[in-house]
Amino acid sequence: MPSAATPSRVLAALFALALAAGLATVPSAAYADDVNGLSASPSNGTSRDGRTRFDYQASPGQDLTDAYLVRNTGTTRQKITVFGTDAFSNDDGDFALLDTVEQPSDVGAWITFSGKERVVLDLKPGAEKVVLFTVHVPDDATPGDHAGGVVVSAVSQDGSLTVDRRVATRIYLRVPGDLQAGLSVSGLQADYQQVVNPFDGSVQVTTTVTNTGNVALGANMVFGVNTWFGIGATDIVRQELPELLPGGSRTLTVTLPGVAQLGYLDAYVRMIPTVDPGALDPGPLREVSRDTVVIAWPWWLLAILVVALIVFAVIRLRRRSDEKRAAAWVAYTEAEAQRKAEASPDAADGAEAAPVGAGTGQPTP
């Protein structure tokens, strides 16, 4: 078995692990290398049987037997190790397998090859061999899905670098009992992204989905934004959530375009759990939905209101100024009329002649 003593060996193993995890869902897992190529797939005992993964249901204490077809697709003779290992969800929520040097403790530890933990094949270029293996479910196995992989590994030297090339096929073993199939949505956040055009912003929604049950599940997800009175503010966005192992989680970020600055926005996510077509049916699956409010300040409307207020204030001030001018003009004209009336000679003569005669035609004594 290769040692993991140097960083270069560790990096090589991690690279091969990532490659294996990515190829584990194809019908024939393969490492595409002309010189050191490998392929492996579920078998009916003589050839490939079309399965993309191993799916079992077994009770505690039960034994299962199956076959794996391993082939050297390279141009050199290779020693290929076949073994079982455990799966886990990495930091991104993706399906991943333990490194070659790590010892499994779950379904990977239940797999044996003629009583051994691993078997080594010496294959010529183009040669293939069917490997039989047994899965023994321990008496204390817990209900739910136990995930792992059947791995083929070939170690070779590339100059001073030791490379561990691996391919694998997923294995899911379900132990009956109290099955809990459920996904949860947490940490839902929404942020409005403004642009110059007030009717063409976007909402960025971020959420974390966690498999809270004991059954592997994927999901069909729908993201959208509503506004006042539940009216849709943009087209919905659909996204498929890859399968999550029990306890696994994945953080998703989705951008919803074409959202106007409408003030009140209600961003939501709806999720319907799904089961892989090759997996066993875990029973009814419950839809999950969450929403959160985000405020998209309608700056365009506020700008219009500010302009309207300014215009209104200017008109009011102008009107008050005109009213003051009009009042002053009326007062001035009245005062001027009075002044002119008082200064008129006719008015003065009439004022002096008034006592004479006193309206009787007789002189005053």
Side-chain angles (χ1 to χ4, degrees):
M1 182 185 303
S3 170
T6 65
S8 62
R9 295 164 70 100
V10 173
L11 289 174
L14 290 175
F15 172 79
L17 172 61
L19 179 65
L23 292 172
T25 59
V26 299
S28 175
Y31 182 87
D33 182 284
D34 291 340
V35 177
N36 301 298
L38 297 171
S39 73
S41 63
S43 171
N44 56 15
T46 57
S47 61
R48 299 175 185 172
D49 58 13
R51 286 179 292 172
T52 61
R53 54 192 247 176
F54 295 106
D55 275 289
Y56 307 119
Q57 179 164 302
S59 301
Q62 186 176 349
D63 287 344
L64 301 169
T65 301
D66 213 329
Y68 202 39
L69 179 64
V70 181
R71 187 173 185 228
N72 179 359
T73 61
T75 58
T76 61
R77 191 182 192 98
Q78 297 189 79
K79 286 190 175 181
I80 301 171
T81 304
V82 187
F83 58 95
T85 192
D86 293 341
F88 65 96
S89 293
N90 61 19
D91 293 340
D92 294 326
D94 294 326
F95 184 100
L97 298 174
L98 297 179
D99 200 357
T100 301
V101 296
E102 296 186 64
Q103 290 296 318
S105 59
D106 196 58
V107 68
W110 305 349
I111 300 172
T112 57
F113 304 85
S114 300
K116 300 178 180 179
E117 293 182 356
R118 55 187 63 204
V119 61
V120 179
L121 308 176
D122 188 357
L123 296 180
K124 297 178 181 180
E128 63 182 24
K129 185 175 180 60
V130 174
V131 179
L132 300 179
F133 63 91
T134 300
V135 182
H136 173 71
V137 184
D139 294 336
D140 60 351
T142 57
D145 286 346
H146 299 262
V150 182
V151 184
V152 296
S153 167
V155 178
S156 62
Q157 288 294 136
D158 185 2
S160 61
L161 182 67
T162 300
V163 180
D164 181 6
R165 296 176 174 85
R166 308 196 323 173
V167 297
T169 299
R170 300 185 187 192
I171 178 171
Y172 293 84
L173 190 149
R174 178 170 299 166
V175 177
D178 183 18
L179 298 181
Q180 301 173 10
L183 298 174
S184 70
V185 174
S186 61
L188 181 62
Q189 296 180 343
D191 296 305
Y192 186 76
Q193 311 293 323
Q194 297 186 32
V195 294
V196 176
N197 184 350
F199 300 98
D200 195 28
S202 63
V203 174
Q204 188 178 74
V205 180
T206 300
T207 189
T208 299
V209 180
T210 302
N211 187 336
T212 56
N214 56 13
V215 175
L217 294 174
N220 290 322
M221 306 185 69
V222 174
F223 295 82
V225 178
N226 290 332
T227 186
W228 306 99
F229 311 110
I231 299 173
T234 183
D235 293 334
I236 62 174
V237 173
R238 302 180 186 275
Q239 184 162 324
E240 183 177 348
L241 177 74
E243 186 178 63
L244 281 176
L245 297 179
S249 63
R250 181 187 296 270
T251 298
L252 304 171
T253 299
V254 175
T255 299
L256 299 160
V259 183
Q261 297 173 11
L262 299 171
Y264 168 78
L265 297 174
D266 183 31
Y268 65 86
V269 55
R270 296 192 182 97
M271 179 174 60
I272 301 177
T274 60
V275 181
D276 188 274
L280 299 169
D281 185 2
L285 301 174
R286 182 175 60 88
E287 178 180 336
V288 180
S289 63
R290 294 288 185 275
D291 66 336
T292 185
V293 173
V294 58
I295 301 300
W297 293 107
W299 300 114
W300 59 273
L301 179 58
L302 294 178
I304 292 175
L305 290 175
V306 169
V307 172
L309 288 174
I310 292 174
V311 171
F312 176 76
V314 169
I315 292 175
R316 289 283 297 173
L317 291 174
R318 184 70 177 271
R319 183 175 297 172
R320 288 182 181 180
S321 177
D322 291 345
E323 289 175 352
K324 288 181 179 179
R325 288 197 189 102
W329 175 253
V330 170
Y332 170 77
T333 54
E334 289 179 349
E336 188 66 16
Q338 182 66 28
R339 184 187 66 79
K340 289 181 178 181
E342 292 175 352
S344 172
D346 294 338
D349 293 342
E352 293 178 357
V356 179
T360 62
Q362 300 296 323
T364 302

